[in-house]
Amino acid sequence: QVQLAESGGGLVQAGDSLRLSCAASGRTFSSYGLGWFRQAPGKEREFVVCINWRGDSTYYADSVKGRFTLSRDNAKNTVYLQMNRLKPEDTAVYYCAAKNSPLATPRGPWDYWGQGTQVTVSS
């Protein structure tokens, strides 16, 4: 199995930036596709972005395309989510996830989950 731990959340103003990190341990990091989901208060958990095992293919939700950038560093067993021009509607708990498939696709099953990190964007 693989263990995931998110960090980097915080409170920012609209238009600011944050970088979230997801550190992985366990099985070979490069064997997994990775992604980020988020869940706002009172809302269902939604897909944000995912990346394939090579780090050369990504799939973004329309709501974040052009503002968020996902990358991975297999040597450091870490994936990064750079979030720019944040909006109040980006406020949510952000979860890192991994799947046994190496492909970049939002479809499940997502086999492993982190505990989440809070991102709050004020107006």
Side-chain angles (χ1 to χ4, degrees), residues 78-93:
T78 303
V79 62
Y80 305 97
L81 181 62
Q82 180 66 45
M83 306 186 296
N84 298 325
R85 289 173 279 127
L86 284 162
K87 304 175 181 180
E89 51 262 45
D90 294 319
T91 295
V93 177

Side-chain angles (χ1 to χ4, degrees), residues 36-95:
W36 287 90
F37 293 74
R38 66 186 182 185
Q39 187 167 22
K43 301 293 181 65
E44 296 292 323
R45 186 173 299 185
E46 66 173 344
F47 168 79
V48 178
V49 61
C50 61
I51 191 167
N52 72 339
W53 75 280
R54 292 183 181 273
D56 60 358
S57 181
T58 52
Y59 186 96
Y60 294 87
D62 289 340
S63 59
V64 304
K65 189 174 297 183
R67 299 187 298 118
F68 291 11
T69 302
L70 182 64
S71 62
R72 67 187 296 169
D73 188 339
N74 289 342
K76 297 182 178 180
N77 291 340
T78 303
V79 62
Y80 305 97
L81 181 62
Q82 180 66 45
M83 306 186 296
N84 298 325
R85 289 173 279 127
L86 284 162
K87 304 175 181 180
E89 51 262 45
D90 294 319
T91 295
V93 177
Y94 283 71
Y95 297 90

Side-chain angles (χ1 to χ4, degrees), residues 3-7 21-25 36 78-79 96 113-117:
Q3 296 80 45
L4 305 173
E6 306 97 332
S7 63
S21 298
C22 176
S25 61
W36 287 90
T78 303
V79 62
C96 182
W113 294 85
Q115 293 186 336
T117 184

Side-chain angles (χ1 to χ4, degrees), residues 8-14 16-18 20 83 86 88 91-92 117-123:
L11 173 63
V12 298
Q13 291 184 322
D16 286 351
S17 298
L18 279 175
L20 306 183
M83 306 186 296
L86 284 162
T91 295
T117 184
Q118 177 71 47
V119 172
T120 302
V121 185
S122 65
S123 300

